[in-house]
C-alpha cells in the first residue's frame, strides 16, 4: 500500500509537470501577450475584428438552432418509439460526426456552385434560365457554413438528448396522463425540465465547437471570422500583438460558456436516475413504423451528400452543369498515390493520428487510475486539469505552443521533438 501511494505521488507530480508545460504555460503566454487594455480597445474598435466576432457568434447561434431542429425530433422519436432497423440508425447517426466537416465543405462547393448540382436541377425543372445561374455561395457562404456545422454536430446533441429522455421515469408521464394532462403540457411540464441538463450540456459543446471551427470557414472562403483571423495572424506573432488578444477573447468566451453549460446544467436529473428504471418504447404498427426510419435515413443522407459529392469528384473526368459526372476516370488516384508530395502527407497524417491516439490512451488511462484509485493529495486539481483540454479549442492550444516556441528560446530545444510526435515513440 505504501509503495502504491509513493508511485501514485510520483505519477501525480509527473502529471503536474506535464500540464504545466503543455497546458498552463502556453495559456499563460497568450494571456501575458494579449492582456492589455490598449490592445483590447483596439480589437473592439477595429471594424474588421468586430465583423469577425459578429460572424463567429452568428455561426455559433444559427448552427446551434439548426442542430436543435435536427437532433430534437430524432431523439424524441428514438426514445419514444420502436421501429425496424433501430439499431442500425444508432450507427448511422454517428456517421456525420466521423466525417470531417472541412472535407464536406468542398462537396458543398460542388453542390452550390454556379455550375453545380442545385443550379442544374433548377435549370432542368425550368425554374432558372441556363445563362442566368445563381451564385449561391456569393452571398450565402455564412448559411453554408452553418449548414455544414449543424449537419456535422447534431449527433453530439442527439446523444445527450437521447440519454436524458431515456432516463426520465415514465411513471411521471403516466401520472400526468391519468390526471387528464395533454401531451403538449406533459412535454412542457415534465419532459423538458427533466432533460434540460443533457440539452444544455450538449448544446454548449455544439456552440463552442461551431464558434471556434477553423477548417470549414477556411475551405468555404468565409474568412471574416475569429478562427480564420487568428490563423492568418500566426505569421505576425513576433510583430503584431493583436492576434494574442483575439485568442484571449476567444478563450474567455469559451471558458464562460463552458462554466455556464457544465456548471449550471452539468449535473442533471437523467444522469442521476438512469440506472433505477428504464422506459419502454412504444411499438408502432402498419406503415407508421417506417416513418421514424425514413426520418433517420433522410437526415443522414442530407448530412453525407457533400461527402458523396467529394467521392464522385475524385473519379469524375467531366462534371459540368450535370446532376452526375458525365465521364469517370481513376487517373486522379493513380497520380496522387504516385506523387512525391502526396505520399509523405498521407504518411504524416497516419503517423500523427496513430501517435496521438497512443499518447492519449497512455495519458488518459494512467491519469484515471491515479485520480480514481490512488487519490493522492490534490487529486481534485489534477482531475480538473485533465478535463480542461475538453473546454479549450485546439486552435487556442496550437497558438499557445507557437507563442511559447517563438518567444522563449530556452524552450525551443525542448519543444522541437514534439513538433513530430512520432519521434517520441
Amino acid at each position: 500500500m505504501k509503495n502504491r501511494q509513493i508511485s501514485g505521488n510520483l505519477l501525480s507530480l509527473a502529471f503536474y509537470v506535464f500540464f504545466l508545460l503543455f497546458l498552463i504555460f502556453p495559456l499563460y503566454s497568450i494571456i501575458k501577450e494579449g492582456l492589455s487594455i490598449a490592445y483590447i480597445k483596439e480589437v473592439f474598435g477595429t471594424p474588421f475584428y468586430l465583423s469577425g466576432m459578429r460572424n463567429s457568434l452568428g455561426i455559433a447561434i444559427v448552427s446551434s438552432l439548426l442542430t436543435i431542429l435536427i437532433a430534437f425530433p430524432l431523439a424524441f422519436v428514438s426514445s419514444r418509439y420502436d421501429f425496424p432497423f433501430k439499431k442500425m440508425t444508432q450507427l448511422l447517426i454517428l456517421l456525420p460526426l466521423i466525417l470531417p466537416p472541412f472535407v464536406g465543405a468542398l462537396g458543398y462547393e460542388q453542390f452550390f456552385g454556379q455550375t453545380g448540382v442545385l443550379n442544374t436541377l433548377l435549370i432542368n425543372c425550368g425554374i432558372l434560365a441556363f445563362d442566368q445561374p445563381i451564385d449561391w455561395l456569393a452571398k450565402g457562404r455564412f448559411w453554408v457554413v452553418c449548414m455544414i456545422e449543424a449537419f456535422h454536430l447534431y449527433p453530439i446533441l442527439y446523444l445527450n438528448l437521447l440519454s436524458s429522455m431515456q432516463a426520465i421515469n415514465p411513471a411521471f408521464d403516466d401520472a400526468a396522463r391519468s390526471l387528464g394532462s395533454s401531451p403538449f403540457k406533459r412535454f412542457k411540464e415534465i419532459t423538458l425540465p427533466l432533460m434540460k441538463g443533457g440539452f444544455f450540456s450538449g448544446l454548449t459543446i455544439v456552440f463552442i465547437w461551431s464558434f471556434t471551427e477553423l477548417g470549414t470557414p477556411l475551405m468555404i472562403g468565409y474568412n471574416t471570422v475569429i478562427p480564420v483571423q487568428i490563423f492568418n495572424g500566426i505569421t505576425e506573432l513576433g510583430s503584431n500583438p493583436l492576434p494574442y488578444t483575439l485568442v484571449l477573447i476567444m478563450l474567455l468566451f469559451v471558458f464562460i460558456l463552458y462554466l455556464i453549460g457544465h456548471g449550471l446544467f452539468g449535473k442533471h436529473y437523467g444522469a442521476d436516475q438512469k440506472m433505477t428504471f428504464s422506459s419502454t418504447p412504444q411499438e408502432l404498427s402498419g406503415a407508421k413504423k417506417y416513418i421514424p426510419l425514413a426520418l433517420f435515413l433522410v437526415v443522414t443522407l442530407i448530412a453525407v451528400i457533400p461527402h458523396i459529392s467529394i467521392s464522385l469528384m475524385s473519379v469524375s473526368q467531366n462534371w459540368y452543369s450535370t446532376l452526375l459526372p458525365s465521364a469517370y476516370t481513376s487517373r486522379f488516384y493513380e497520380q496522387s498515390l504516385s506523387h512525391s508530395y502526396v505520399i509523405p502527407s498521407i504518411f504524416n497524417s497516419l503517423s500523427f493520428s496513430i501517435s496521438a491516439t497512443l499518447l492519449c490512451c497512455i495519458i488518459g488511462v494512467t491519469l484515471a487510475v491515479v485520480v480514481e484509485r490512488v487519490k493522492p493529495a490534490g487529486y481534485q486539481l489534477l482531475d480538473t486539469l485533465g478535463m480542461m483540454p475538453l473546454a479549450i479549442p485546439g486552435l487556442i492550444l496550437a497558438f499557445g505552443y507557437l507563442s511559447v516556441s517563438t518567444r522563449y528560446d530556452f524552450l525551443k530545444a525542448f519543444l522541437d521533438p514534439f513538433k513530430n510526435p512520432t519521434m517520441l515513440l
Side-chain angles (χ1 to χ4, degrees), residues 109-294:
E109 292 268 4
Q110 174 64 30
F111 190 86
F112 288 103
Q114 285 187 300
T115 59
V117 175
L118 181 57
N119 277 336
T120 301
L121 183 61
L122 295 176
I123 291 172
N124 291 342
C125 294
I127 299 175
L128 289 179
F130 179 79
D131 57 345
Q132 294 179 341
I134 299 175
D135 189 358
W136 300 96
L137 293 178
K139 296 183 180 180
R141 295 182 187 274
F142 171 87
W143 298 103
V144 173
V145 172
C146 293
M147 286 177 57
I148 295 174
E149 296 296 337
F151 279 103
H152 173 63
L153 298 174
Y154 78 87
I156 296 175
L157 185 59
Y158 166 82
L159 294 174
N160 279 269
L161 290 173
L162 182 63
S163 176
S164 298
M165 290 180 181
Q166 290 177 336
I168 297 175
N169 193 335
F172 297 154
D173 193 74
D174 294 338
R177 185 188 297 110
S178 66
L179 294 174
S181 179
S182 65
F184 177 77
K185 188 173 182 180
R186 293 198 305 271
F187 175 79
K188 178 183 176 183
E189 301 293 337
I190 297 174
T191 304
L192 196 57
L194 293 179
M195 59 173 284
K196 68 180 181 180
F199 174 75
F200 282 104
S201 295
L203 193 62
T204 300
I205 297 175
V206 171
F207 195 97
I208 292 175
W209 194 319
S210 54
F211 179 75
T212 59
E213 170 68 19
L214 170 64
T216 301
L218 201 61
M219 297 298 291
I220 289 293
Y222 191 66
N223 297 328
T224 315
V225 290
I226 290 182
V228 177
Q229 290 172 343
I230 292 173
F231 178 79
N232 292 334
I234 288 176
T235 57
E236 304 175 350
L237 286 184
S239 58
N240 186 6
L242 293 186
Y244 288 97
T245 306
L246 274 179
V247 175
L248 179 60
I249 292 172
M250 177 184 283
L251 178 62
L252 291 175
F253 189 86
V254 168
F255 184 68
I256 292 171
L257 283 174
Y258 184 81
L259 289 181
I260 293 174
H262 292 267
L264 297 180
F265 305 106
K267 292 184 178 181
H268 53 282
Y269 178 85
D272 297 333
Q273 301 293 326
K274 186 174 182 179
M275 300 307 296
T276 60
F277 46 76
S278 60
S279 58
T280 303
Q282 178 183 344
E283 288 279 353
L284 295 174
S285 58
K288 291 181 179 179
K289 64 182 180 181
Y290 294 103
I291 295 177
L293 176 62

Side-chain angles (χ1 to χ4, degrees), residues 358-381:
L358 292 175
L359 288 173
C360 286
C361 289
I362 295 171
I363 295 171
V365 171
T366 307
L367 180 61
V369 170
V370 171
V371 171
E372 293 297 328
R373 298 294 185 182
V374 181
K375 294 185 181 298
Y379 73 93
Q380 296 93 340
L381 176 59

